Amino acid sequence: GWQDPAGVGLNYREICDAARDDPHAAVARVGLDAVLAGDAAAFERDYPCDAPGGARWFHLLIAPYGEPPARGAVVMHFDVTQARRLADALHQAQKMEAVGRMTSG
């Protein structure tokens, strides 16, 4: 089939199966199968990924393409590293504020 550098036309089942040592790929395969079978309206999950320069976080979204049972699926990965770091920093600041209130009260 037709493919471009962004992965259009690739068989995502084959990609997941090739990464058999990665537990995130196994979970993605289960989600993909559920969407394709019509058992799930969509599948979403955040997952970490080791990358040069440090760990990154991605949001996986799998949505059906076509009428159920789906003929195919649209699979998207969004880099959510910055949003995750901001959420972690906010959570840490909230914990420090709570500790400060406990020690001053």
Side-chain angles (χ1 to χ4, degrees):
W2 179 82
Q3 297 177 13
D4 77 359
V8 172
L10 295 178
N11 185 322
Y12 201 70
R13 279 186 175 143
E14 291 175 2
I15 292 169
C16 291
D17 291 345
R20 60 181 61 98
D21 293 337
D22 183 344
H24 302 293
V27 171
R29 171 64 194 263
V30 170
L32 175 64
D33 289 344
V35 168
L36 290 174
D39 296 334
F43 177 82
E44 295 185 67
R45 165 169 246 125
D46 286 349
Y47 66 95
C49 181
D50 291 329
R56 302 193 67 74
W57 280 88
F58 290 89
H59 182 79
L60 167 65
L61 172 61
I62 302 174
Y65 176 78
E67 296 298 318
R71 294 181 307 220
V74 176
V75 179
M76 296 173 277
H77 297 262
F78 302 96
D79 186 338
V80 294
T81 305
Q82 188 63 25
R84 184 89 179 205
R85 287 181 182 153
L86 290 171
D88 289 347
L90 176 61
H91 180 70
Q92 184 64 27
Q94 289 171 335
K95 284 190 340 187
M96 295 303 292
E97 180 185 7
V99 168
R101 271 188 268 138
M102 286 182 359
T103 58
S104 67

